[in-house]
């Protein structure tokens, strides 16, 4: 079964809405006009009947009888006009003349027979004909029939209403078609763009031509396509980075093992030591990748408990102080105690350890690394400031990415996963991490955690 397109659905919906609206308006309008017109006719005939009663009174006073009065009730007028002729009955044809006993004296043909008695319910609406204070007869309004002019008026109203309804429906169809084209055109472009994205053309974008909801949809589509392109680029870079990081230790292991097999290196603990060290490096790299993947997927296992963040930072700094001293770097620690946080202490130690390891690696001898813990609103903030060479504004936004190294030659130590893992762990705890740096003056890396019960 063939499905109706969006354009036809929209046109049909607009035509249906206009048809219901105009049709309802047509019915209520014609009904209201008929009702008001009938009331108008009743009031007009009542006023007119009084005038006719006065004329009939004059007729009676002159003739002293009703003889010959019937001709006034059957008289017809012919009105000629450019469109043809119009036959109009006498105004008195709207009434029946009865005597004081209710017998018909004169009326339009087909509405009664002279001499017949009218029923009492008809006589209730009669208008007396008086002469010198004496009632000599009565006018009784006849039911019903409209004159040609009145019927023509109502027919013209119905015709005009029907024509207006037809014009409204036609206009709705035309406007609906135009609107459907305007709405479906950007949708068709989005469909084509989606097909191109699905086919792998992630660089394709939709031109935004409006600021309405469709324009916002196009902007959202472009943002989605840009995010997909970044994700694909990151995936390729990740694969290339992993391959690069694995190549070095595998090359060392392969080279040493081949040398041992060829008899170049003797099979001794000294010659096996580099192979063992590279396997340890491979294991650490794989474990770092595993942790990073789990953290970014939100499935990293966390053993949450409440502890004092300031106290934890002091213990981590004391544990790493010998390494800093060996590198000729001094640690200055200034912490605020009494900052309870609910987190995994092992993971927070890992975060702070990664940040301190980077700070020690880039700090020149006889420099100082300042570690502080403070409160900012509902957060506890840990900051590590070194006096190293700093990071350029071009590199600063990328230091938390996987395998990113400021040294593009990739000769610097480390896998480039430390800060990426730190960022993933902090965000898994509902915190945030950021960096500030000035070239030649050092770098400050800070992270925050929510204070429990704040």
């Amino acid at each position: 079964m063939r499905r109706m397109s969006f354009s036809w659905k929209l046109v049909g919906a607009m035509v249906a809405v206009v048809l219901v609206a105009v049709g309802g308006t047509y019915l209520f309008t014609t009904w209201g006009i008929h009702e008001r017109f009938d009331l108008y006719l009743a009031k007009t005939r009542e006023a007119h009947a009084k005038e006719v009663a006065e004329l009939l009174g004059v007729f009676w006073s002159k003739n002293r009888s009703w003889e010959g009065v019937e001709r006034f009730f059957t008289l017809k007028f012919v009105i000629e006009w450019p469109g043809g002729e119009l036959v109009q009955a006498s105004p008195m044809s709207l009434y029946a003349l009865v005597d004081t006993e209710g017998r018909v004296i004169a009326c339009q043909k087909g509405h009664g027979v002279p001499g017949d008695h009218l029923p009492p319910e008809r006589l209730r609406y009669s208008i007396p004909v008086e002469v010198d204070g004496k009632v000599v007869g009565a006018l009784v309004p006849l039911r019903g029939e409209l004159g040609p002019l009145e019927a023509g008026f109502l027919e013209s109203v119905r015709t005009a209403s029907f024509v207006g309804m037809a014009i409204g429906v036609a206009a709705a169809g035309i406007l609906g078609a135009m609107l459907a084209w305007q709405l479906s055109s950007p949708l068709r472009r989005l469909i084509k763009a989606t097909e191109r994205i699905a086919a792998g053309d992630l660089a394709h974008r939709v031109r935004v031509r409006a600021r309405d909801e469709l324009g916002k949809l196009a902007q959202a589509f472009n943002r989605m396509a840009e995010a997909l392109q970044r994700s694909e680029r990151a995936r390729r870079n990740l694969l290339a980075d992993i391959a690069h990081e694995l190549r070095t230790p595998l090359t060392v292991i392969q080279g040493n093992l081949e040398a041992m097999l060829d008899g170049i290196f003797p099979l001794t603990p000294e010659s096996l030591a580099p192979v063992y060290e590279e396997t340890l490096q491979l294991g650490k790299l794989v474990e770092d990748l595993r942790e990073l993947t789990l953290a970014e997927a939100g499935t990293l296992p966390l053993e949450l408990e409440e502890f004092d963040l300031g106290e934890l930072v002091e213990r981590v700094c004391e544990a790493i102080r010998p390494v800093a001293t060996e590198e000729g770097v001094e640690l200055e620690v200034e912490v605020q105690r009494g900052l309870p946080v609910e987190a995994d202490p092992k993971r927070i130690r890992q975060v702070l350890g990664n940040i301190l390891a980077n700070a020690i690696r880039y700090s020149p001898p006889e420099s100082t690394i300042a570690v502080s813990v403070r409160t900012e609103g509902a957060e506890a903030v840990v900051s590590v400031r070194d006096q190293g060479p700093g990071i350029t504004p071009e590199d600063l936004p990328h230091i938390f990415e996987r395998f990113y190294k400021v040294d593009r030659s990739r000769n610097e130590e480390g896998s480039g996963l430390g800060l990426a893992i730190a960022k993933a762990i902090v965000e898994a705890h509902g915190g945030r991490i950021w960096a500030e740096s000035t070239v030649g003056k050092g770098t400050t890396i800070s992270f925050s955690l929510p204070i429990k019960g704040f």
Side-chain angles (χ1 to χ4, degrees), residues 212-358:
D212 55 9
E213 285 76 5
L214 287 175
K216 293 179 181 178
L217 177 61
Q219 292 176 350
F221 177 87
N222 288 339
R223 289 195 296 269
M224 179 200 69
E226 186 175 350
L228 288 174
Q229 189 176 24
R230 285 199 304 268
S231 297
E232 177 63 17
R233 186 164 51 245
R235 185 187 68 84
R236 294 179 180 178
N237 292 340
L238 176 61
L239 292 176
D241 289 335
I242 292 176
H244 176 84
E245 295 297 333
L246 294 176
R247 185 182 298 117
T248 300
L250 287 175
T251 300
V252 173
I253 293 172
Q254 181 181 357
N256 281 272
L257 291 176
E258 287 179 352
M260 293 177 191
L261 290 174
D262 293 340
I264 299 175
F265 289 166
L267 188 60
T268 62
E270 290 77 12
S271 60
L272 286 175
V275 177
Y276 177 70
E277 290 177 359
E278 294 300 329
T279 58
L280 292 179
Q281 182 66 21
L282 277 176
K284 185 178 183 304
L285 177 61
V286 172
E287 179 61 21
D288 286 347
L289 284 172
R290 188 187 72 86
E291 287 190 353
L292 181 59
T293 302
L294 291 176
E296 290 181 343
T299 57
L300 182 67
L302 298 176
E303 298 179 4
L304 301 180
E305 60 180 81
E306 185 177 338
F307 59 90
D308 187 334
L309 183 60
E311 184 179 344
L312 177 75
V313 170
E314 280 187 334
R315 291 202 303 268
V316 174
C317 291
E318 290 305 317
I320 206 170
R321 189 181 296 276
V323 177
T325 303
E326 186 178 345
E327 297 292 334
V329 179
E330 182 181 355
L331 278 181
E332 289 184 356
V333 183
E334 182 181 353
V335 302
Q336 179 180 344
R337 293 292 191 96
L339 297 179
V341 297
E342 188 173 14
D344 186 334
K346 293 181 180 179
R347 297 297 182 184
I348 301 304
R349 289 175 67 95
Q350 181 181 359
V351 170
L352 185 56
N354 286 343
I355 296 175
L356 285 172
N358 275 344

Side-chain angles (χ1 to χ4, degrees), residues 21 36 67 160 168 219 233 281 369 377 389 402 433 438 445-446:
R36 301 300 298 178
E67 185 178 353
Q219 292 176 350
R233 186 164 51 245
Q281 182 66 21
I369 296 176
R402 309 186 206 191
I433 189 169
T438 302
I445 295 181
S446 305

Side-chain angles (χ1 to χ4, degrees), residues 370-450:
V371 181
S372 65
V373 181
R374 66 186 185 280
T375 58
E376 288 186 1
E379 293 179 324
V381 180
V382 179
S383 296
V384 177
R385 177 172 56 83
D386 63 46
Q387 296 176 338
I391 305 171
T392 64
E394 294 79 14
D395 290 319
L396 189 61
H398 305 287
I399 64 172
F400 295 104
E401 297 177 2
R402 309 186 206 191
F403 296 110
Y404 192 84
K405 298 179 181 179
V406 176
D407 184 0
R408 304 301 171 85
S409 66
R410 297 180 178 268
N411 289 328
E412 60 185 62
E413 297 179 0
S415 64
L417 291 176
L419 290 181
I421 293 174
K423 179 176 183 292
I425 292 176
V426 169
E427 291 179 349
H429 283 83
R432 55 195 180 94
I433 189 169
W434 66 97
E436 300 168 308
S437 184
T438 302
V439 176
K441 295 184 179 180
T443 301
T444 301
I445 295 181
S446 305
F447 68 91
S448 65
L449 296 173

Side-chain angles (χ1 to χ4, degrees), residues 35 101 108 118 155 208 255 274 288 301 311 437 446 452:
E35 185 181 19
E101 297 179 358
Q108 189 180 20
L118 291 180
E155 183 63 27
V208 180
D288 286 347
E311 184 179 344
S437 184
S446 305
K452 183 174 175 60

